[in-house]
Amino acid sequence: MPTTVYYGTLVHSISLKEMEIISSGVLIVNEEGAIVQIEKDIKDLESFLATSGHKDSKIHILGAEQFLVPGFVDTHAHAPQYMFAGSGMDLQLLEWLDTHVFPCESAFKSVEHAGKAYTKVIERFLLNGTTTCSWFATIHLGGCKKLVDIIQDLGQRAYVGKVNMDQNAPDYYIEDTESSLNDTRTFIEYVQEKKSNLITPVVTPRFAITCSTPLMNGLSQLANEYNVPIQTHLCENHDEIDFTCSLFKDSKDYTSVYDDHHLLNERSYMAHCVHMTDAEIDMLAERKTGIAHCANSNFSLHSGVCDVRRFLEKGVKVGLGTDVAGGFSPSMLDAVRSTFFASKTVKILHRDGPLKDKDYAPLTPSELLYLATLGGAQVLGLQGQIGNFEKNKAFDALWVDLEHGSIDLMGGETMHQKIEKFLFNGSDQNLKHVYVQGRRVAGKSTQ
């Protein structure tokens, strides 16, 4: 069976605390795009190929200033909102939704409009190295199907959700409960009938404010019936929290609203979680529910600063999200940098503010890489398939080229420094090739 051999430096996360750099590494991928063998410190590639039975394989040799990293995993983004990314950053969440989000998303009733827009969105995210993304679409069944078709054609690994909302939304952009549930069932079956190992339907109540109790109960039943994940928003903004709690007065707090509707489990993940009590975090840990940390959005919509370390220390799964268009950038490198600044801000608040914890540790570069790759895979329940370079996992990878693009190498940098330069100075211009399941789906190189 033909295989493809990649030879050079490999960089990936073993755990939150451990980043591995493999020098002179050999990574072998089979026809199905799965990693079948990894070797370290192979000084003589020709001899290795001759003795291992891979001399007839297709060989890719990385340059001295190039390396492979796992593909980025974006755990939270809104596909239709890329239409106005970078707009409305002067507003807070609820006003921003009324002013920009709902009018924009309502236009996706047109499948033709959806097709043109979604093609640009998926192409842009792939160019930025997002090999896996968890998408919110809109309430429109036809447009949601079109998004799935485009994702399948372009080759991204994706979770895709038809948005649900039957209350507290404009007359021009709202569903009735029964049609919302029926369309969600149809959408789930449409995706599953494709039998794609890359695309997964995800139950997607927009957030509790726009979802009635009958709708949320029905969605939890659908998630259990079809064994699919659940995504929504949680504790993003103080006004949102107050409004939610006023609607669901029988629930102890915002997190309990979802728990009371059976929407928190090991297949669930919540975006933002900026303003959480210890009891709410404990509940997420007990339910094995993950979070999508969207630092750019939290800054841009002035929602607040999420202390990721609190969640990690309690064993909650954490990944990163761009939250386009609450976050203005489709780049996971931007998500890494925004997360870095959020973590540094929390450190300052601990040092100089009321918390007075001088030993607080902000996130390190290796931890940031983990959150953007393996951490995100864990949030989506995909840690057995993607997130790092292990045998039998899919080859979802970025071929990073530091000699061409936005990074200047001055000479003498260690490998750790080169990785940090990529994380903090790199861009899509440094991505020579982008692979999903062994297939090249994007990249700056024409070769």
Side-chain angles (χ1 to χ4, degrees):
M1 180 180 294
T3 58
T4 302
V5 175
Y6 296 87
Y7 178 66
T9 301
L10 315 176
V11 179
H12 68 155
S13 297
I14 302 297
S15 68
L16 176 65
K17 297 297 184 183
E18 184 180 1
M19 180 179 70
E20 182 179 35
I21 300 173
I22 301 174
S23 300
S24 302
V26 172
L27 191 152
I28 302 175
V29 180
N30 67 14
E31 249 186 342
E32 287 73 43
I35 299 169
V36 295
Q37 188 174 348
I38 303 172
E39 302 292 340
K40 305 175 184 180
D41 300 318
I42 302 299
K43 304 303 182 185
D44 188 336
L45 178 61
E46 188 173 343
S47 296
F48 170 81
L49 295 173
T51 57
S52 63
H54 293 288
K55 64 179 180 179
D56 295 326
S57 299
K58 185 174 183 179
I59 311 299
H60 292 294
I61 299 178
L62 281 72
E65 306 300 349
Q66 300 174 350
F67 55 90
L68 292 179
V69 295
F72 291 137
V73 180
D74 187 340
T75 57
H76 184 67
H78 294 260
Q81 293 179 21
Y82 188 60
M83 296 288 292
F84 65 91
S87 304
M89 299 291 95
D90 56 322
L91 304 177
Q92 291 194 38
L93 175 65
L94 298 182
E95 184 181 1
W96 175 76
L97 287 170
D98 289 332
T99 304
H100 292 281
V101 173
F102 295 150
C104 170
E105 291 190 9
S106 67
F108 282 74
K109 182 178 181 179
S110 164
V111 175
E112 181 181 3
H113 173 73
K116 292 178 181 178
Y118 286 150
T119 298
K120 291 182 180 180
V121 174
I122 304 306
E123 288 177 343
R124 176 58 61 188
F125 274 68
L126 285 172
L127 280 170
N128 278 288
T130 301
T131 54
T132 298
C133 190
S134 182
W135 294 106
F136 276 57
T138 67
I139 66 174
H140 311 104
L141 179 59
C144 293
K145 289 180 176 180
K146 176 60 71 172
L147 175 57
V148 169
D149 294 343
I150 290 167
I151 290 170
Q152 186 174 38
D153 290 343
L154 295 178
Q156 189 181 52
R157 189 183 304 276
Y159 280 25
V160 185
K162 177 218 162 299
V163 170
N164 303 98
M165 42 197 292
D166 68 342
Q167 65 177 21
N168 296 313
D171 291 341
Y172 62 83
Y173 190 52
I174 195 169
E175 310 166 285
D176 66 75
T177 306
E178 184 177 0
S179 64
S180 182
L181 292 171
N182 289 339
D183 284 354
T184 299
R185 180 183 293 277
T186 301
F187 177 72
I188 291 171
E189 292 178 350
Y190 179 79
V191 178
Q192 291 187 338
E193 286 169 2
K194 287 180 172 290
K195 299 187 184 304
S196 169
N197 66 338
L198 296 182
I199 307 176
T200 301
V202 49
V203 166
T204 308
R206 176 168 226 115
F207 61 165
I209 289 173
T210 60
C211 297
S212 68
T213 283
L215 179 57
M216 286 194 281
N217 283 335
L219 290 173
S220 67
Q221 292 168 12
L222 285 173
N224 288 332
E225 178 182 347
Y226 290 94
N227 192 32
V228 296
I230 300 166
Q231 64 177 350
T232 188
H233 301 86
L234 174 62
C235 292
E236 180 178 357
N237 167 286
H238 285 300
D239 291 341
E240 169 216 12
I241 295 169
D242 292 342
F243 192 4
T244 301
C245 292
S246 74
L247 294 172
F248 300 93
K249 294 180 179 178
D250 291 337
S251 295
K252 177 182 176 182
D253 48 44
Y254 192 169
T255 304
S256 296
V257 172
Y258 291 135
D259 194 53
D260 293 343
H261 291 87
H262 313 291
L263 290 167
L264 297 184
N265 58 44
E266 69 279 1
R267 301 189 311 276
S268 305
Y269 48 102
M270 307 285 113
H272 303 297
C273 300
V274 178
H275 307 287
M276 302 277 287
T277 65
D278 287 341
E280 288 178 289
I281 297 176
D282 289 340
M283 180 178 289
L284 294 187
E286 290 167 6
R287 302 293 184 266
K288 300 181 180 178
T289 297
I291 72 164
H293 174 51
C294 307
N296 181 315
S297 175
N298 299 156
F299 281 127
S300 295
L301 298 179
H302 30 117
S303 297
V305 182
C306 179
D307 182 356
V308 167
R309 187 71 73 190
R310 286 179 71 203
F311 294 87
L312 295 172
E313 289 178 348
K314 287 180 175 285
V316 177
K317 299 172 290 186
V318 180
L320 304 186
T322 58
D323 192 29
V324 165
F328 52 75
S329 173
S331 169
M332 281 294 289
L333 286 173
D334 174 87
V336 164
R337 294 160 196 167
S338 298
T339 299
F340 168 79
F341 284 120
S343 182
K344 292 289 188 179
T345 300
V346 174
K347 170 65 176 178
I348 293 169
L349 293 173
H350 276 77
R351 184 192 65 199
D352 300 331
L355 298 175
K356 299 298 182 186
D357 179 7
K358 294 184 179 180
D359 295 326
Y360 181 88
L363 296 169
T364 66
S366 63
E367 289 175 322
L368 293 169
L369 178 63
Y370 166 87
L371 293 173
T373 55
L374 186 57
Q378 290 176 339
V379 167
L380 301 183
L382 294 174
Q383 67 274 13
Q385 301 177 46
I386 61 169
N388 61 4
F389 300 134
E390 291 183 355
K391 185 177 179 180
N392 298 324
K393 286 192 176 184
F395 184 63
D396 288 14
L398 311 179
W399 182 322
V400 178
D401 182 0
L402 299 183
E403 290 187 309
H404 300 90
S406 57
I407 296 173
D408 290 318
L409 294 177
M410 309 306 291
E413 291 95 344
T414 66
M415 193 61 216
H416 278 90
Q417 288 174 319
K418 292 175 184 178
I419 296 166
E420 290 177 359
K421 282 200 169 189
F422 170 62
L423 291 178
F424 294 112
N425 297 318
S427 71
D428 62 324
Q429 301 298 312
N430 298 108
L431 300 182
K432 184 179 177 72
H433 304 292
V434 178
Y435 302 96
V436 176
Q437 197 74 39
R439 171 190 171 188
R440 185 184 187 276
V441 294
K444 291 301 179 181
S445 175
T446 58
Q447 300 178 354

